[in-house]
Amino acid sequence: MSLHLERTDFAIIADWIKPGSSVLDLGCGDGTLMTFLQQQKQTRGYGIEIDDDDITASIRNGINVIHMDLNEGLSEFDEDSFDYVILSLTLQAMQSPELLLKEMMRVGTEGIVTFPNFGNWKSRLQLSLGGRMPVTKNLPHTWYNTPNIHLCTIKDFEDLCQSLGFRIIERRAVNHVHKSSLGLKLFPNLLGQIALYRFRRA
Amino acid sequence: MPDVIPADSVGIVTPEIAHFDQPLSLTSGGVIDTYDLIYETYGELNPQKSNAVLVCHALSSNHHVAGYHSMEDKKPGWWENMVGPGKAIDTNRFFVVACNNLGGCYGSTGPASINPATGKPFGPEFPIVTVRDWVESQARLSDRLGIDTWAAVVGGSLGGMQAIQWSIDYPERLRHAVVIAAAPKLTAQNIAFNEVARQAIRTDPNFHDGRYYDFNTEPDRGLRIARMLGHITYLSDEAMREKFGRDLRDEKIDFDFDVEFQVESYLRYQADSFVGKFDANTYLLITKVLDYFDPAENFGGDLTRVMAQARASFLVVSFTSDWRFAPSRSREIVKSIHDNDLNVSYAEIKASQGHDAFLMKIPHYLDVVGAYMDRAAKEVGA
């Protein structure tokens, strides 16, 4: 379900996390990000995963992984249980992104979300000029078999955060090698391929 | 028994008996003055004594977890799928210990054993024991074997409850608890099934208030019904449909009360193979052990508060079609652990077999336990 994350992305997320914090990683895959955060920031916490092979891999990697369907919310976690709740490249595959974002802000103090930016010029070009649903490096599926059922742009996401009453603390837009540039800072929604956000309750 | 013992089996094993003279005070207020525990071990205890794994058994099983007692054995131990060289609980790395619990009928002191005070079988005089008492007796066996800290305490169903109790009563004596197809306490429905089983036994004319040994008889009919009932709760509706459907044993319906449907045949076969080898008083006793299990009882029913005592890391596993101890029961356990910021992983295994799935060769299940035990082995240098 989740797309591949390069290590540079981990570095950005790790930069945002205070040492020794508690982390809930939603859609933790094989536990690579959790392992990275444990090593870099001495974090503790749990990963949530639904894929059988990823669960086995996370366990093998020594990560606390809990089998759970994110579409059913996070009701098993109490309010304010974690310093950070991370959702990396998974938001777009959720049945109700709005519900999950609210859940993240219920159980965590700070939310970190990354997603493929559908407002990127390549997507825009493929749809507007090509007349077809975009297929890009970050969104490699075709419309009929994609798990990504709720794609959004940077502007869309910020609108949603505002309507949910979230305060965005930091935004980064990066290209496919997860590098930032002046262009990306000026035109994030046009040039950014992956968007990274940290936010809190307002 | 296969002609040749498979390479991934522990092979021929011989149980041993540990005798204890120090009286054991029980939760019920009773005391057992002296007792035996029969146990088996597989693999080698390393010089640091850090690689020991305790396997706890469920209602009707015993200390014979893996391997064969002789070349004539028809079947290996009850968890042959899980325990052996190269298996999920790898006996090349771990020293595995399993005992028949107190009150059992496979060689540990139980209702059918001779009461030294009377020279006759205990029968109904055998005191009610609890999971706590079992853990206490297992802790004494650990002392006897020179094991301060278990690398892991592992169990399915009632065995998983013992692993939970271990983590509460002896937090420093286990590094990991593997809790499979268990529940934090029984539901009214669970207790109801147990009570029907008990009534079947206790109303059998051969029960004689539990003193059937004196009459040279056994409440076979009651025990058979209890076992048949038990087996219905061990399987899922789906598993029964897959296994038997409405298949007939013969080709046609005979319009009588003999065995007609395959499922009837199966239940009767399970009943037949149970009587004669299991003691009815032990069955009564162990259903009570299940009913009474409730570690949160003295903590206002708050499992999170009682699990605050634990220090172990946990693996919790459930099976989708298990309705006896459904996945939601395992998630209660998981929540009580992560509420205390303790290490826990949880896997819900897709399986059609119902509660019995914990005994079966289900690849994802065995992979999950194997991956967890691999980490546990690395931690202790095994």
Side-chain angles (χ1 to χ4, degrees), chain A residues 44-46 50-53 55-57 59-68 75-78 81-82, chain B residues 315 331 334-335 337-348 350 364 367-368 370-372 374-375:
Chain A
R44 61 202 155 75
Y46 308 90
I50 197 167
D51 179 79
D52 285 353
D53 292 337
I55 288 169
T56 310
I59 291 173
R60 198 172 290 285
N61 291 330
I63 293 303
N64 288 319
V65 60
I66 295 176
H67 186 149
M68 203 184 277
S75 58
E76 278 162 48
F77 294 97
D78 294 340
S81 296
F82 299 94
Chain B
L315 173 67
R331 288 200 298 267
V334 171
K335 176 165 171 43
I337 302 166
H338 69 61
D339 277 350
N340 283 296
D341 291 338
L342 293 165
N343 290 320
V344 57
S345 283
Y346 169 62
E348 196 173 297
K350 289 177 204 79
H364 175 48
D367 284 350
V368 160
Y372 191 82
D374 175 59
R375 293 289 304 189

Side-chain angles (χ1 to χ4, degrees), chain B residues 4 12 31 40 46 76 80 85 123 136 208-210 227-229 252 297 314 328 330 333 336 358 366 375:
Chain B
V4 188
I12 300 287
V31 177
E40 287 182 4
N46 65 12
E80 182 77 2
E136 188 57 35
H208 299 288
D209 287 331
R227 185 60 169 171
M228 289 166 87
L229 183 70
K252 57 180 179 42
E297 192 187 9
F314 291 80
S328 57
S330 282
I333 299 168
S336 73
F358 86 89
L366 297 176
R375 293 289 304 189

Side-chain angles (χ1 to χ4, degrees), chain B residues 180-310:
Chain B
I180 302 168
K185 63 184 171 198
L186 265 57
T187 60
Q189 187 193 45
N190 294 143
I191 295 170
F193 276 113
N194 282 346
E195 174 58 7
V196 176
R198 283 191 293 266
Q199 284 301 316
I201 293 167
R202 295 177 63 84
T203 57
D204 185 311
N206 288 340
F207 183 61
H208 299 288
D209 287 331
R211 292 179 206 287
Y212 46 86
Y213 319 100
D214 301 347
F215 297 82
N216 224 359
T217 183
E218 282 176 58
D220 283 354
R221 253 186 295 175
L223 187 59
R224 287 173 55 91
I225 294 167
R227 185 60 169 171
M228 289 166 87
L229 183 70
H231 268 280
I232 299 171
T233 70
Y234 304 152
L235 293 179
S236 65
D237 185 25
E238 190 185 352
M240 279 202 179
R241 195 161 35 236
E242 277 170 15
K243 214 167 170 167
F244 316 111
R246 289 178 53 88
D247 294 353
L248 298 169
R249 202 166 69 151
D250 300 325
E251 308 248 304
K252 57 180 179 42
I253 286 177
D254 291 324
F255 297 101
D256 63 24
F257 293 99
D258 279 344
V259 172
E260 292 191 296
F261 291 97
Q262 286 293 4
V263 65
E264 297 172 304
S265 171
Y266 168 82
L267 290 176
R268 290 192 195 195
Y269 169 79
Q270 291 297 339
D272 287 341
S273 54
F274 196 55
V275 293
K277 75 174 190 193
F278 206 87
D279 179 59
N281 278 322
T282 289
Y283 202 89
L284 293 176
L285 185 69
I286 298 189
T287 58
K288 276 289 178 188
V289 173
L290 275 161
D291 290 1
Y292 291 142
F293 179 70
D294 182 6
E297 192 187 9
N298 297 325
F299 290 78
D302 187 345
L303 195 64
T304 295
R305 269 177 62 207
V306 67
M307 292 310 284
Q309 298 172 43

Side-chain angles (χ1 to χ4, degrees), chain A residues 9-82:
Chain A
D9 264 63
F10 295 0
I12 294 172
I13 294 174
D15 267 356
W16 288 347
I17 285 178
K18 287 199 192 83
S21 335
S22 60
V23 170
L24 184 66
D25 182 10
L26 307 178
C28 68
D30 64 3
T32 309
L33 177 59
M34 290 288 279
T35 306
F36 184 69
L37 294 177
Q38 275 175 18
Q39 288 164 355
Q40 299 294 313
K41 297 283 175 160
Q42 297 76 50
T43 56
R44 61 202 155 75
Y46 308 90
I48 304 291
E49 189 46 69
I50 197 167
D51 179 79
D52 285 353
D53 292 337
D54 279 336
I55 288 169
T56 310
S58 282
I59 291 173
R60 198 172 290 285
N61 291 330
I63 293 303
N64 288 319
V65 60
I66 295 176
H67 186 149
M68 203 184 277
D69 184 354
L70 292 177
N71 288 316
E72 289 171 12
L74 304 172
S75 58
E76 278 162 48
F77 294 97
D78 294 340
E79 283 168 30
D80 293 314
S81 296
F82 299 94

Side-chain angles (χ1 to χ4, degrees), chain A residues 26-202:
Chain A
L26 307 178
C28 68
D30 64 3
T32 309
L33 177 59
M34 290 288 279
T35 306
F36 184 69
L37 294 177
Q38 275 175 18
Q39 288 164 355
Q40 299 294 313
K41 297 283 175 160
Q42 297 76 50
T43 56
R44 61 202 155 75
Y46 308 90
I48 304 291
E49 189 46 69
I50 197 167
D51 179 79
D52 285 353
D53 292 337
D54 279 336
I55 288 169
T56 310
S58 282
I59 291 173
R60 198 172 290 285
N61 291 330
I63 293 303
N64 288 319
V65 60
I66 295 176
H67 186 149
M68 203 184 277
D69 184 354
L70 292 177
N71 288 316
E72 289 171 12
L74 304 172
S75 58
E76 278 162 48
F77 294 97
D78 294 340
E79 283 168 30
D80 293 314
S81 296
F82 299 94
D83 297 323
Y84 300 92
V85 183
I86 302 173
L87 183 69
S88 67
L89 301 182
T90 302
L91 183 75
Q92 74 285 350
M94 292 291 103
Q95 277 169 18
S96 175
E98 183 185 9
L99 193 78
L100 188 62
L101 287 167
K102 281 186 192 163
E103 279 288 84
M104 287 175 71
M105 279 290 89
R106 183 181 63 81
V107 305
T109 308
E110 198 164 305
I112 294 175
V113 166
T114 75
F115 60 88
N117 174 32
F118 206 62
N120 179 265
W121 65 272
K122 281 184 188 164
S123 298
R124 295 190 197 195
L125 216 57
Q126 286 190 40
L127 187 58
S128 62
L129 294 184
R132 288 199 166 83
M133 284 299 283
V135 176
T136 63
K137 197 172 162 124
N138 290 308
L139 293 166
H141 298 89
T142 43
W143 66 273
Y144 51 86
N145 66 6
T146 181
N148 302 317
I149 53 176
H150 281 122
L151 290 161
C152 70
T153 70
I154 282 181
K155 282 184 179 170
D156 291 330
F157 182 77
E158 292 185 5
D159 287 350
L160 180 60
C161 283
Q162 194 176 18
S163 77
L164 292 174
F166 297 168
R167 181 165 53 90
I168 293 168
I169 300 167
E170 211 165 330
R171 177 187 72 200
R172 296 280 280 276
V174 294
N175 60 19
H176 71 278
V177 288
H178 304 96
K179 290 274 160 47
S180 201
S181 67
L182 182 62
L184 280 160
K185 281 188 179 115
L186 292 173
F187 307 105
N189 199 26
L190 191 63
L191 300 180
Q193 293 184 337
I194 302 285
L196 300 91
Y197 282 88
R198 23 183 319 222
F199 51 89
R200 288 175 174 248
R201 274 160 281 186

